[in-house]
Amino acid sequence: MAASISNTLISLSKTHEATFRSSTQTRLFSTPPSSLTQNQKSTIKLIARNNSSFSSIGELEREQQQQHEAMHHISRKANSERLPDVWREIHGENDWAGLLDPMDPTLRQELIRYGEMAQACYDAFDFDPFSKYCGSCRFTRRNFFSSLGMSHHGYNVTRYLYATANINLPNFFKQSRWSKMWSKHANWAGYVAVSDDTTTHRLGRRDITIAWRGTVTHLEWVADLMDFLKPISSNSIPCPDQTVKVESGFLELYTDKEQNCGYCKYSAREQILSEVKRLLDMYSNEELSITITGHSLGSALAILSAYDIVETGLNVMGDSRAVPVCVLSFSGPRVGNVRFKERLETLGVKVLRVVNVHDVVPKSPGFLFNEQSPPSVMKLAEALPWSYSHVGVELALDHKNSPFLNPNADAVCAHNLEALLHLLDGYHGKGQRFVLASGRDPALVNKACDFLKDHYLVPPNWRQDENKGMIRGKDGRWIQPERPKLDDHPEDMHHHLSQLGLASSDI
């Protein structure tokens, strides 16, 4: 009989069952069974009695699964309870020293949580060229997380981000085939969100999160890059060193605008800085953090915006407190040269890059000259416009370590964000067995790719809108429904830009 995903959480497959059972107590949980309190043991029994979701497996396996889930419940609770005391370490205060190998369970939990916030950009984006709303977000700002079933994350979206489609990145920008469309120049590019009061208490600080949309269905966008470094200061981003350079396509995407478009009359840069300024002012009396996340091209934009926030001094409060800025990057490319890397380090921007070692995107641009080249070669190539260097700390994962995934899947699968979150869930350290730590559903991997082994019976690319969004009207005919107009820019945006010295008289 073909193995199901639910069965696999216990047995993986018949060849992995013994491995799973022997490793569960020693590697899977941060709280070993022998150290459980009486209340925790009672919690296990209570959850076990109430859980009957795995009717297709034997009684012994059912009991093991119930205890497995109960232990997860306690482990997640324990990790959350320690977060207010260790959030600065999790946020990169010490460059994640001692947290990656072995993998700290709280860090893993937080990486998956922010990765899901990046994944939300894909899940909410309208990719359908036969929709007049192609290139937009499918949900209104106020209903964003609830529409995605993510209300439990405890964040409120405060504004949407838009980028102009004038840049030559056709695999990032999507447009409708219909002449009547929501915008001819704009694409939805992500969002800014802030933790609500309950989540703020759990995190130990008020967290401002910026999530950038990336590229998920094609790798051709790498070829779209101009692969040409230019000074970051050439696009009006402050920098005291003219030798600090970044890839020109990323820079244009971040700073370009279209005066004739309501959504793009402000650049993505202006949208980010004004909103972060507004939120920092609003919560100035609280402990704060700024966390920026993104996948693929979104990772490059996350690093650029983190640099910008700190270089402009926007994160420095009136009482001279510096709000920590951290980037949690997933499958991101190189962004700039070695001078850019050094400048980020000087400014104190913390970057943790999670990558799949088989993914080609983190290896670009800079195929010839990069941080892995001998120092003598990099010294000679420093002035060349093709010399790149990764920033921050890297957490390298390998999809061939997962018993769930097809090791010979195509290259696009290796770049998939859901697959990367799956790898995070099973990673415990170098050389350690792959064992899922949170029970995150492996079926999510195949949401937008074909990566799971066939015997798990999960169809590829299974996530889709019912009837491609068509509904039956009152007259019985099938139509594309109208959507509420998306928010463009807040009324006080010009005010905040003026305070930053960025206001333009022609807007």
Side-chain angles (χ1 to χ4, degrees):
M1 180 182 294
S4 69
I5 286 292
S6 57
N7 286 349
T8 304
L9 291 178
I10 284 297
S11 59
L12 301 184
S13 65
K14 290 188 177 180
T15 56
H16 293 285
E17 182 173 2
T19 297
F20 180 88
R21 289 175 176 170
S22 65
S23 64
T24 296
Q25 290 187 348
T26 58
R27 294 300 308 165
L28 190 55
F29 308 114
S30 60
T31 306
S34 60
S35 64
L36 294 178
T37 66
Q38 188 59 43
N39 286 340
Q40 291 172 331
K41 291 177 180 178
S42 299
T43 301
I44 291 178
K45 293 178 181 178
L46 177 63
I47 295 177
R49 283 199 302 269
N50 292 333
N51 192 322
S52 58
S53 60
F54 290 88
S55 58
S56 63
I57 58 180
E59 289 301 317
L60 177 60
E61 289 185 335
R62 184 201 303 275
E63 181 179 349
Q64 290 174 335
Q65 175 65 20
Q66 291 167 346
Q67 292 183 359
H68 167 90
E69 292 182 350
M71 291 293 291
H72 279 320
H73 173 80
I74 293 171
S75 177
R76 286 193 297 268
K77 183 177 180 182
N79 292 337
S80 296
E81 287 176 350
R82 69 185 283 256
L83 189 54
D85 299 322
V86 300
W87 75 262
R88 289 185 178 275
E89 294 177 56
I90 299 300
H91 211 248
E93 181 179 53
N94 299 317
D95 295 314
W96 298 279
L99 299 180
L100 301 178
D101 189 18
M103 188 69 183
D104 180 85
T106 303
L107 176 58
R108 180 198 296 108
Q109 175 180 288
E110 289 298 278
L111 281 172
I112 291 176
R113 184 171 68 84
Y114 284 109
E116 289 175 342
M117 294 180 80
Q119 177 65 39
C121 292
Y122 293 132
D123 294 343
F125 188 67
D126 191 335
F127 287 94
D128 186 3
F130 297 101
S131 165
K132 62 184 177 183
Y133 299 102
C134 180
S136 72
C137 181
R138 298 187 297 122
F139 312 114
T140 61
R141 175 175 61 83
R142 291 168 183 81
N143 298 323
F144 183 80
F145 285 119
S146 60
S147 298
L148 293 167
M150 295 176 62
S151 298
H152 61 281
H153 278 63
Y155 281 72
N156 296 312
V157 176
T158 62
R159 77 156 298 151
Y160 278 165
L161 303 173
Y162 302 95
T164 172
N166 296 341
I167 308 301
N168 183 31
L169 287 172
N171 288 295
F172 177 76
F173 293 106
K174 304 296 178 183
Q175 283 192 322
S176 173
R177 287 180 53 172
W178 310 138
S179 57
K180 181 181 179 182
M181 62 183 73
W182 74 286
S183 174
K184 293 183 178 181
H185 300 283
N187 256 211
W188 183 73
Y191 62 89
V192 182
V194 64
S195 57
D196 61 24
D197 291 344
T198 301
T199 300
T200 294
H201 177 74
R202 181 176 64 81
L203 298 179
R205 84 281 187 189
R206 181 80 63 178
D207 183 47
I208 300 169
T209 293
I210 303 167
W212 287 99
R213 179 176 67 84
T215 44
V216 66
T217 55
H218 300 282
L219 297 183
E220 288 87 349
W221 72 269
V222 177
D224 295 335
L225 295 176
M226 296 174 69
D227 195 12
F228 186 86
L229 290 162
K230 65 184 295 188
I232 195 168
S233 58
S234 63
N235 285 46
S236 302
I237 298 177
C239 183
D241 185 352
Q242 293 295 311
T243 65
V244 173
K245 299 178 180 180
V246 296
E247 201 280 325
S248 57
F250 300 152
L251 192 58
E252 295 296 328
L253 181 58
Y254 183 59
T255 59
D256 196 40
K257 54 187 171 184
E258 173 58 56
Q259 302 286 0
N260 297 321
C261 175
Y263 294 100
C264 291
K265 64 180 181 181
Y266 297 106
S267 67
R269 177 185 186 235
E270 291 169 330
Q271 296 168 50
I272 285 287
L273 296 184
S274 61
E275 184 63 11
V276 171
K277 173 79 167 73
R278 187 184 74 84
L279 292 173
L280 290 176
D281 289 345
M282 179 181 295
Y283 299 108
S284 59
N285 295 324
E286 299 186 27
E287 189 84 29
L288 291 160
S289 65
I290 299 173
T291 311
I292 313 178
T293 188
H295 170 256
S296 192
L297 179 56
S299 166
L301 295 171
I303 291 171
L304 267 181
S305 49
Y307 164 85
D308 198 10
I309 288 169
V310 180
E311 186 70 89
T312 59
L314 184 58
N315 66 316
V316 179
M317 307 297 285
D319 57 5
S320 298
R321 281 183 300 139
V323 176
V325 177
C326 165
V327 176
L328 299 178
S329 153
F330 299 90
S331 306
R334 297 184 180 96
V335 178
N337 63 359
V338 68
R339 297 295 186 194
F340 178 68
K341 171 184 179 292
E342 293 168 351
R343 185 61 185 167
L344 271 178
E345 293 171 348
T346 300
L347 293 171
V349 177
K350 303 299 182 178
V351 180
L352 178 58
R353 297 181 297 102
V354 184
V355 303
N356 182 343
V357 296
H358 303 287
D359 184 6
V360 300
V361 170
K363 299 177 175 65
S364 61
F367 288 105
L368 294 178
F369 304 110
N370 56 62
E371 71 285 346
Q372 297 178 356
S373 302
S376 57
V377 173
M378 285 298 288
K379 187 67 176 176
L380 293 173
E382 188 174 308
L384 296 176
W386 316 286
S387 177
Y388 288 81
S389 181
H390 265 309
V391 302
V393 177
E394 181 177 271
L395 173 59
L397 307 176
D398 187 342
H399 71 249
K400 293 186 178 181
N401 291 333
S402 170
F404 294 87
L405 304 181
N406 177 3
N408 299 314
D410 63 42
V412 174
C413 293
H415 188 57
N416 184 273
L417 178 54
E418 284 286 7
L420 200 59
L421 300 182
H422 166 76
L423 295 180
L424 266 174
D425 199 19
Y427 176 77
H428 295 267
K430 294 178 180 177
Q432 300 293 334
R433 293 188 181 98
F434 185 96
V435 182
L436 296 178
S438 75
R440 196 169 192 275
D441 190 352
L444 293 170
V445 171
N446 267 19
K447 186 161 60 176
C449 69
D450 184 6
F451 209 172
L452 288 172
K453 293 177 179 177
D454 287 350
H455 64 261
Y456 294 122
L457 304 180
V458 178
N461 303 294
W462 57 259
R463 190 186 186 283
Q464 53 189 302
D465 292 335
E466 184 178 4
N467 299 319
K468 289 199 170 182
M470 297 287 285
I471 63 170
R472 194 184 293 274
K474 293 181 180 180
D475 61 357
R477 295 179 181 273
W478 288 90
I479 59 171
Q480 280 193 2
E482 298 291 329
R483 293 181 190 167
K485 184 179 183 297
L486 296 178
D487 295 340
D488 46 24
H489 305 293
E491 294 180 358
D492 61 352
M493 182 168 176
H494 196 272
H495 166 71
H496 292 293
L497 288 176
S498 297
Q499 290 185 318
L500 292 168
L502 298 176
S504 175
S505 59
D506 56 358
I507 295 179

